[in-house]
């Protein structure tokens, strides 16, 4: 597809495109269906000191929101975690029925049992309204946890989370982890 005025933003089937300044060629910035186009941010050339228009994609801002959420949890800042979550947020944990925001404080048992319990975002992948995040939690086992007395050992717990967002709010989280393996490593 070509034609139009240089630098003018045009929407075509499958995403947002920009006609590059000084050309008559369309350059795709985002391919595929995007259910929440309002999450993308347009920046005019005057803001960037150049002649181009930049689109910050929704998947990138979604990944940042999840990083902010994990940081809030690691700081035990449950108020901030609630701000980033929709009031109808649902958590799906292996072996348990779905739960809502009341479960945020359940993480306190981890902080009570593991000193210096800190997350590392190992990897994130985002598409449309979903973000998959591999979070590796590390800390020293200094308190009783699920019947396992303190061992003083360093502990590592890998968690995979699939989050779904609507607009700028977290609405659903599905966790995948192996708690039995983690507990057996603690007992060694």
């Amino acid at each position: 597809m070509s034609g139009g005025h240089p630098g003018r933003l045009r929407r075509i089937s499958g995403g947002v495109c920009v006609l590059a300044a000084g050309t008559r060629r369309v350059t795709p910035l985002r391919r595929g269906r995007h259910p929440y186009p309002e999450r993308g941010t347009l920046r005019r050339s005057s803001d960037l000191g150049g002649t181009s228009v930049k689109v910050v994609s929704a998947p990138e801002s979604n990944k940042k929101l999840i990083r902010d959420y994990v940081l809030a949890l690691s700081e035990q800042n449950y108020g901030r975690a609630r701000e980033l979550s929709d009031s109808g947020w649902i958590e799906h944990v292996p072996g348990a029925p779905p739960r809502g925001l009341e479960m945020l404080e359940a993480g306190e048992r981890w902080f009570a049992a593991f000193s210096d319990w800190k997350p590392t975002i190992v990897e994130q992948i985002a598409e449309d309204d979903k973000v998959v995040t591999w979070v590796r939690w590390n800390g020293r086992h200094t308190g009783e946890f699920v019947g396992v007395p303190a061992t003083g050992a360093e502990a590592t717990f890998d968690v995979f989370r699939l989050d779904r967002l609507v607009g700028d709010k977290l609405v659903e989280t599905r966790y995948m982890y192996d708690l039995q393996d983690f507990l057996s490593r603690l007992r060694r």
Side-chain angles (χ1 to χ4, degrees):
M1 175 183 228
S2 64
H5 300 289
R8 180 172 287 178
L9 185 66
R10 297 195 50 195
R11 186 176 302 275
I12 65 168
S13 177
V16 176
C17 291
V18 168
L19 291 172
T23 70
R24 301 192 57 81
R25 191 186 69 174
V26 174
T27 306
L29 294 179
R30 173 92 175 102
R31 296 185 193 271
R33 183 181 66 82
H34 196 294
Y36 307 108
E38 69 277 5
R39 289 296 305 273
T41 304
L42 291 178
R43 296 191 180 155
R44 293 258 164 236
S45 59
S46 59
D47 298 334
L48 299 173
T51 58
S52 64
V53 176
K54 180 179 181 184
V55 173
V56 178
S57 70
E60 288 305 313
S61 60
N62 288 349
K63 288 183 343 186
K64 182 182 181 328
L65 188 144
I66 299 305
R67 288 191 303 270
D68 291 347
Y69 182 87
V70 170
L71 178 64
L73 291 181
S74 74
E75 295 171 345
Q76 296 176 287
N77 185 347
Y78 302 116
R80 176 67 177 139
R82 285 179 193 281
E83 287 174 16
L84 297 170
S85 303
D86 183 78
S87 61
W89 173 78
I90 297 292
E91 170 189 69
H92 303 275
V93 176
R99 301 173 281 197
L101 285 171
E102 69 278 1
M103 288 309 299
L104 284 176
E105 287 83 5
E108 288 187 21
R109 70 180 186 178
W110 291 88
F111 293 103
F114 300 94
S115 61
D116 300 323
W117 195 237
K118 299 292 181 207
T120 300
I121 304 282
V122 178
E123 190 168 358
Q124 277 190 305
I125 300 169
E127 185 174 316
D128 296 331
D129 63 341
K130 292 184 179 66
V131 179
V132 176
T133 307
W134 173 7
V135 183
R136 177 168 287 152
W137 290 86
N138 293 292
R140 184 171 298 283
H141 185 206
T142 55
E144 185 272 333
F145 182 74
V146 192
V148 179
T151 63
E154 286 294 319
T156 299
F157 187 58
D158 286 320
V159 175
F160 292 86
R161 49 183 299 147
L162 170 60
D163 294 293
R164 187 171 61 85
L165 296 95
V166 173
D168 61 351
K169 296 289 184 180
L170 179 60
V171 296
E172 183 177 26
T173 302
R174 294 182 181 274
Y175 290 102
M176 289 298 299
Y177 51 78
D178 190 341
L179 185 59
Q180 294 308 314
D181 177 66
F182 178 71
L183 293 174
S184 69
R185 286 185 282 125
L186 279 182
R187 291 182 181 111
R188 290 186 209 154

